[in-house]
Amino acid sequence: MAEEIRVVRASAKTRLRRRLRFLRTRARELKMIGKALVSTKHPILVHIIPMRQCNLACTYCNEFDDFSKPVPLEEMKNRLDILADMGTSIITISGGEPLMHPDLDGVIRHIRRRGMIAGLITNGFYLNRERIERLNEAGLEHVQISIDNVAPDEVSKKSLKTLDGRLVMLSQHAVFQVNINSVLGSGVKDPEDALKIAHRAVELGFTSTVGIIHDNNGQLKPLGTHEQEIFEEVMALGKRSFSRFNEFQHNMARGREHKWRCRSGSRYLYICEDGLVHWCSQQRGYPGIPLTQYTPEMRHREYSTKKFCAAQCTVSCVQQVGILDNWRDPQNLRPMPMTPPANPQAELVQIGQVRSDS
Ligand code: SF4
Ligand code: SF4
């Protein structure tokens, strides 16, 4: 069990490298915030998908398949160049499972070479000491691992029990920042799991966040009293992360709709494996335009477009980006029609009962 594994401190050299990378990243994050406040013309955060395939099959997930090939490195570099030329500040690599991509280090290197902050969302199953060192060398700055439960079950194998050894390796060898995300709400068997996961994350020197899941109809549903207590405790534990600014999560915990302006398609972009721009992982198909044809005018239009799904949104990274613009520029445009998929086999995805790793 997780409690039986001791915490081993990183070497002095790793701790120094970690500190230096943290300070450099924090300085660039502050610059990113300043740039975002001065101008609304560039994307702040972009999720890219170099690999849709995943080694797991969590039953709630609509973001993976078990067959697709990795996007070639040269194609990923072309996309990153377009995003860098737009002025993008942060790139988060997501999936599927990005660690299955054979050239992931090259993707990370290119993000850093183009001056953008490099993050990764992974299920962590492919991490080992050698892989962590390669991610260090490539220049990775953030990793997020979502852990769904303490012991694996039929819904998810992303459990503390299966991942704890890898978390210990990260605490010893990673020079990038690690955030552990746990979940509360509909479909979570034991809410105490979120607390155990968050405590373990802090014990290992990581930040922790907690996501809230909607009910079966994607509707807001307040957490029970005990779950709310756990939620507040986990949020307090995660005070070192930017999640402390997430007032919307406190609203969701109480079942209140959150009033905010979703700037997806403009300040946040989701670039799928086919190189199409979407609002987010849960609204693929809007607008569904190739990145190569995505103009500043289109970004500007999306900035002013009111998103019909905002009140029930669970995509926390887009909500965090929204904080920088919520105070200005009301949205008064209606969404453009969805673009039909080029591949008729590919289904458009809209929000439902899902959990997002973001
Ligand atoms: S939630 Fe993550 S690990 Fe699970 S199937 Fe989806 S992409 Fe894979
Ligand atoms: S689901 Fe959330 S992030 Fe996605 S488009 Fe709707 S409001 Fe924006």
Side-chain angles (χ1 to χ4, degrees):
M1 284 296 293
E3 293 83 344
E4 292 163 5
I5 299 177
R6 65 204 166 96
V7 179
V8 183
R9 258 165 82 82
S11 67
K13 187 179 167 202
T14 301
R15 291 205 305 275
L16 178 64
R17 287 178 69 202
R18 185 180 292 164
R19 189 72 196 148
L20 288 174
R21 187 163 299 184
F22 172 80
L23 290 173
R24 279 196 204 115
T25 303
R26 192 43 60 94
R28 293 163 69 233
E29 285 168 349
L30 291 173
K31 194 172 151 202
M32 171 272 289
I33 291 170
K35 182 178 163 185
L37 291 173
V38 168
S39 168
T40 60
K41 301 217 178 314
H42 62 278
I44 298 166
L45 171 65
V46 176
H47 274 194
I48 57 166
I49 313 296
M51 187 85 199
R52 181 61 70 189
Q53 197 181 139
C54 187
N55 53 317
L56 301 183
C58 308
T59 55
Y60 56 79
C61 179
N62 63 8
E63 297 185 45
F64 78 103
D65 65 33
D66 59 2
F67 55 86
S68 60
K69 299 270 182 286
V71 181
L73 178 60
E74 285 313 308
E75 177 57 31
M76 289 308 301
K77 284 184 178 176
N78 290 341
R79 292 177 193 173
L80 290 169
D81 285 338
I82 294 171
L83 295 168
D85 292 343
M86 284 179 184
T88 302
S89 298
I90 310 170
I91 300 282
T92 297
I93 307 166
S94 187
E97 176 43 54
L99 285 174
M100 292 175 79
H101 195 289
D103 294 310
L104 182 68
D105 301 356
V107 175
I108 295 168
R109 274 200 189 84
H110 201 70
I111 294 170
R112 292 300 309 273
R113 203 174 292 135
R114 292 301 317 259
M116 300 179 282
I117 296 171
L120 173 71
I121 296 174
T122 172
N123 62 38
F125 276 65
Y126 286 104
L127 289 172
N128 54 39
R129 181 173 177 174
E130 184 262 337
R131 198 71 192 82
I132 294 167
E133 294 291 358
R134 278 171 47 200
L135 294 172
N136 286 342
E137 293 308 314
L140 189 65
E141 294 173 281
H142 291 280
V143 158
Q144 173 156 299
I145 301 176
S146 281
I147 301 185
D148 293 335
N149 44 34
V150 168
D153 59 21
E154 64 287 351
V155 172
S156 170
K157 307 283 179 262
K158 295 193 298 184
S159 63
L160 194 53
K161 189 170 182 182
T162 49
L163 283 164
D164 197 72
R166 293 175 178 87
L167 299 186
V168 171
M169 268 187 257
L170 280 167
S171 74
Q172 286 178 268
H173 304 295
V175 301
F176 44 84
Q177 295 168 59
V178 179
N179 183 63
I180 305 297
N181 189 59
S182 54
V183 285
L184 276 172
S186 178
V188 173
K189 275 188 199 155
D190 187 352
E192 298 286 342
D193 279 10
L195 200 51
K196 289 178 189 154
I197 293 162
H199 274 292
R200 183 61 175 155
V202 171
E203 187 179 32
L204 290 166
F206 308 145
T207 55
S208 75
T209 49
V210 59
I212 299 170
I213 306 165
H214 283 172
D215 72 4
N216 289 347
N217 302 314
Q219 297 296 303
L220 284 174
K221 189 178 169 196
L223 297 179
T225 311
H226 184 48
E227 286 175 311
Q228 277 193 32
E229 284 165 8
I230 291 174
F231 171 80
E232 296 299 341
E233 207 172 329
V234 177
M235 289 294 272
L237 278 171
K239 60 184 181 303
R240 280 171 55 209
S241 82
F242 281 118
S243 69
R244 65 189 180 280
F245 300 117
N246 288 356
E247 183 56 30
F248 64 87
Q249 284 218 304
H250 291 277
N251 285 338
M252 282 173 61
R254 291 169 180 79
R256 291 186 209 133
E257 288 198 349
H258 182 63
K259 296 207 180 348
W260 68 296
R261 292 171 182 146
C262 171
R263 308 288 182 172
S264 59
S266 173
R267 304 288 261 169
Y268 170 85
L269 306 177
Y270 179 94
I271 314 295
C272 73
E273 67 277 25
D274 297 322
L276 305 178
V277 179
H278 307 272
W279 280 352
C280 71
S281 64
Q282 302 312 312
Q283 292 294 358
R284 280 175 265 162
Y286 291 103
I289 293 169
L291 179 63
T292 47
Q293 298 166 22
Y294 204 57
T295 62
E297 292 71 31
M298 290 170 180
R299 293 207 308 274
H300 185 69
R301 189 184 198 287
E302 290 295 352
Y303 180 82
S304 301
T305 298
K306 189 171 175 149
K307 310 301 190 305
F308 48 78
C309 37
Q312 297 168 3
C313 177
T314 52
V315 187
S316 58
C317 59
V318 189
Q319 300 187 13
Q320 284 173 42
V321 167
I323 291 170
L324 293 164
D325 298 311
N326 274 340
W327 55 281
R328 60 185 166 193
D329 304 329
Q331 295 174 310
N332 41 31
L333 297 182
R334 295 165 69 90
M336 302 273 280
M338 292 171 88
T339 306
N343 171 8
Q345 305 284 314
E347 285 181 27
L348 299 176
V349 177
Q350 292 182 52
I351 201 162
Q353 190 201 13
V354 292
R355 298 180 207 179
S356 173
D357 280 343
S358 65

